[in-house]
Every structure is written in structure tokens, then in C-alpha cells.
């Protein structure tokens, strides 16, 4: 066994990393944090991935990936037989964030499943402190029955098309306060392998105003991710999102998914919505913080 590490090269490593993440995803119960479509999505927010992703190898087999994402987030995905590499991976990410920052005092964030005792022990040994629950991930089988859900009077569902894109980008910002999601990012994102025009749908008022949206990302591993899903303020608690997700399941059938995945906000409202449409097997992702002072 010869452990080595090197920088990520998008041309040669993109498929290798996605295959690795998919393998980890299906290694129950060691699923860790990301799925392949999330890795692809991250590229659209960071054009310098070669400097911000590091790969760890056992001879010629990929066993670990660590990424840094703005603002100061560390995500590490690791084969469970190589947990001893985690401290070095996180330390590499910390050094990378320090080198790219101009601040003397830097706060960095790392993530762990709530029940991953080994990972949490490593984070604590490196000086990280628990902050909060970051995300509730849940799964739904394609064989589950369709949930009930219908729209109230005055609304209809359709595909979000090019003449709706301005509304969609603005709705994302209203729901998530996500300033990084610009028209330019969305234009490029539509070139992604996971993007399917027919799986980006919305609820509109009879006046043509987009008030709720749901996108499903599809990968070759037959994992379909709901991302994003949201309803703008003023139109919540009307059953719009539930009806929209029901329609999403119907439209996804032609892609023959193995599993549906959602990474929802850690709120009772989001948990209630996803439970109502058949998502189960909740895994809680926790957020940890460390403050670093540069000399």
C-alpha cells in the first residue's frame, strides 16, 4: 500500500471523482455528505478547482477527496478503510484556505454526519467546535407510491422555460438569499450533465408569476437529487411544494431512477414536507467551526 496525494485535474479526474463519490454513497451506512451531482455543481462556482480539490490515492485507487468551497467550507469524502487520512486531509484544506485569505483571523467550517463518531473525534482533536445542524438528507425509493397532492385554485404547474429564467433566478435569491446564483452561473449550469430541461418545473399563478420551483438533477448512477426546491414568501403553506414534488416524481419516471435524494434545510417545516412525499432515512449533517489566527 502506497499512499499518495496530488492536485485535482478536471480533464482527467472529473469522472474518477464522481465514480468514487457514487461508490461511497451506496456503501451503507458510510454515506458521507455529497453525491456526484453536488461535485459537478460545485465546479460552476469555482473555476480554480485544481487548487481547491486534493485527491488521496492508495497506489492507483482513489480513496479520499477533500474540497474547499466559499466561504471557508471544507468537505471531505473518504473510504471508510482510510479514516486515518482524515486529519491530513483537513489540515491541507485549512492551509489552502489560509493561503487564499487576506484576513488575519479566519473561521473555517467542516461537516460531519451526526452519528459519525470517528469523524467527530478527529474534528474535535483538530480544535473544531460544534455549531449547528447544517442539513437533513433524506432518501426515497422509486418504487414508493406517488404521494397525494393537488394545487389550489388559481395555480398551475409547467416547465420553467427560457422566458421564465429571470423569474427563476430572482426566486432563488428570494428563497435562499443566494447571491452567488447569477444569470451567468445558471446559463453555464444548464450545460451540466445533470441538468434536464424537463425536470425544472414551477408553480405559476394564473397571471404567470412563478411562486414555487423544483429541479431534479439526474446522474448516470440513477441518483436523482431534488435541488433546489422552494416557495417564495407569501405563498407558503398552500400545498404548492407538495403538488410540485408529486409532479416531479411523475416526470422523473422516464429516467428510471434508483433513488431520490434531497438535502433539506434543518427545519421542522422542511422535514414535514419531505416526509409527506415519502422521503425517509434521514441523516443529519452537522457543522463545525474552527478559528485560525494567522501569524
Amino acid at each position: 500500500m502506497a499512499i499518495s496525494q496530488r492536485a485535482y485535474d478536471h480533464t482527467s479526474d472529473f469522472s474518477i471523482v464522481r465514480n468514487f463519490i457514487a461508490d461511497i454513497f451506496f456503501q451503507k451506512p458510510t454515506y458521507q455528505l455529497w453525491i456526484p451531482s453536488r461535485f459537478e455543481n460545485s465546479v460552476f462556482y469555482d473555476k480554480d478547482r485544481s487548487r481547491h480539490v486534493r485527491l488521496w490515492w492508495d497506489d492507483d485507487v482513489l480513496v479520499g477527496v477533500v474540497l474547499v468551497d466559499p466561504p471557508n467550507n471544507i468537505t471531505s469524502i473518504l473510504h471508510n478503510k482510510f479514516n486515518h487520512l482524515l486529519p491530513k486531509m483537513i489540515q491541507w484544506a485549512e492551509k489552502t484556505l489560509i493561503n487564499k485569505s487576506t484576513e488575519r483571523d479566519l473561521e473555517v467550517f467542516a461537516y460531519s454526519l451526526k452519528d459519525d463518531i470517528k469523524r467527530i473525534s478527529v474534528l474535535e482533536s483538530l480544535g473544531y467546535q460544534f455549531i449547528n445542524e447544517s442539513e437533513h438528507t433524506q432518501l426515497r425509493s422509486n418504487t414508493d407510491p406517488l404521494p397525494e397532492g393537488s394545487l389550489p385554485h388559481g395555480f398551475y404547474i409547467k416547465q420553467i422555460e427560457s422566458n421564465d429564467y429571470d423569474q427563476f433566478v430572482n426566486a432563488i435569491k428570494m428563497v435562499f438569499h443566494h447571491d452567488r446564483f447569477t444569470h451567468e452561473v445558471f446559463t453555464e449550469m444548464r450545460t451540466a450533465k445533470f441538468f434536464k430541461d424537463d425536470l425544472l418545473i414551477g408553480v405559476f399563478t394564473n397571471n404567470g408569476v412563478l411562486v414555487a420551483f423544483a429541479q431534479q438533477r439526474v446522474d448516470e448512477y440513477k441518483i436523482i437529487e431534488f435541488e433546489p426546491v422552494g416557495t417564495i414568501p407569501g405563498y407558503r403553506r398552500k400545498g404548492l411544494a407538495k403538488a410540485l414534488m408529486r409532479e416531479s416524481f411523475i416526470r422523473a419516471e422516464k429516467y428510471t431512477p434508483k433513488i431520490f435524494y434531497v438535502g433539506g434545510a434543518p427545519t421542522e417545516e422542511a422535514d414535514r414536507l419531505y416526509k409527506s412525499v415519502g422521503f425517509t432515512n434521514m441523516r443529519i449533517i452537522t457543522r463545525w467551526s474552527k478559528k485560525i489566527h494567522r501569524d
Side-chain angles (χ1 to χ4, degrees), residues 30-287:
T30 59
Y31 154 63
Q32 295 176 40
L33 308 180
W34 273 27
I35 57 176
S37 58
R38 285 202 173 188
F39 179 75
E40 182 177 9
N41 182 66
S42 71
V43 172
F44 299 106
Y45 295 102
D46 187 353
K47 299 305 179 185
D48 200 9
R49 267 287 173 232
S50 62
R51 293 176 56 194
H52 300 154
V53 180
R54 196 78 174 171
L55 309 181
W56 265 257
W57 302 81
D58 176 22
D59 292 328
D60 59 350
V61 177
L62 183 63
V63 297
V65 179
V66 63
L67 313 91
V68 295
D69 280 310
N72 302 338
N73 292 309
I74 299 170
T75 298
S76 51
I77 305 153
L78 186 63
H79 192 286
N80 62 351
K81 292 183 179 179
F82 293 86
N83 284 326
H84 62 282
L85 298 177
L86 184 58
K88 291 182 179 179
M89 294 170 69
I90 293 177
Q91 288 165 348
W92 173 87
E94 290 176 355
K95 184 177 180 180
T96 300
L97 288 170
I98 290 170
N99 289 340
K100 66 180 288 193
S101 174
T102 59
E103 303 292 330
R104 290 196 64 186
D105 295 304
L106 186 67
E107 186 174 18
V108 300
F109 303 95
Y111 299 84
S112 174
L113 288 170
K114 187 176 182 178
D115 56 359
D116 191 339
I117 304 303
K118 291 181 179 179
R119 181 180 290 258
I120 289 173
S121 177
V122 169
L123 292 177
E124 290 177 333
S125 72
L126 293 174
Y128 285 81
Q129 295 183 329
F130 171 78
I131 299 296
N132 55 21
E133 293 183 4
S134 171
E135 188 176 6
H136 290 176
T137 70
Q138 301 183 60
L139 303 176
R140 183 187 188 277
S141 170
N142 187 43
T143 60
D144 290 343
L146 280 173
E148 298 296 326
S150 58
L151 289 175
H153 178 72
F155 300 92
Y156 64 94
I157 293 174
K158 77 174 186 73
Q159 180 179 324
I160 296 175
E161 300 173 311
S162 57
N163 60 328
D164 306 311
Y165 288 165
D166 284 346
Q167 288 200 76
F168 176 60
V169 171
N170 290 333
I172 291 285
K173 293 179 179 179
M174 290 177 65
V175 173
F176 301 113
H177 309 290
H178 198 341
D179 292 335
R180 289 195 299 155
F181 191 80
T182 63
H183 286 275
E184 292 74 20
V185 167
F186 180 51
T187 297
E188 191 168 358
M189 194 173 290
R190 296 201 307 275
T191 68
K193 295 176 68 174
F194 64 66
F195 188 87
K196 307 297 180 187
D197 286 308
D198 57 324
L199 296 185
L200 175 60
I201 63 176
V203 176
F204 292 78
T205 68
N206 284 342
N207 294 325
V209 178
L210 175 65
V211 296
F213 50 84
Q215 179 183 359
Q216 295 178 95
R217 299 171 175 173
V218 184
D219 62 36
E220 61 265 43
Y221 315 100
K222 302 296 184 178
I223 305 168
I224 293 190
E225 177 189 17
F226 273 92
E227 172 61 28
V229 178
T231 304
I232 68 172
Y235 290 90
R236 294 169 181 166
R237 299 185 181 275
K238 297 179 182 294
L240 305 184
K242 186 174 182 180
L244 190 58
M245 294 190 76
R246 183 183 192 278
E247 178 65 21
S248 295
F249 292 133
I250 294 172
R251 296 188 182 214
E253 287 180 0
K254 72 177 187 179
Y255 295 99
T256 61
K258 288 183 179 178
I259 200 81
F260 292 96
Y261 167 97
V262 66
T267 64
E268 291 184 7
E269 185 176 17
D271 290 345
R272 186 165 53 248
L273 167 63
Y274 297 129
K275 182 178 180 180
S276 74
V277 296
F279 281 93
T280 59
N281 193 32
M282 181 189 295
R283 306 296 299 278
I284 298 173
I285 295 178
T286 56
R287 186 172 184 241

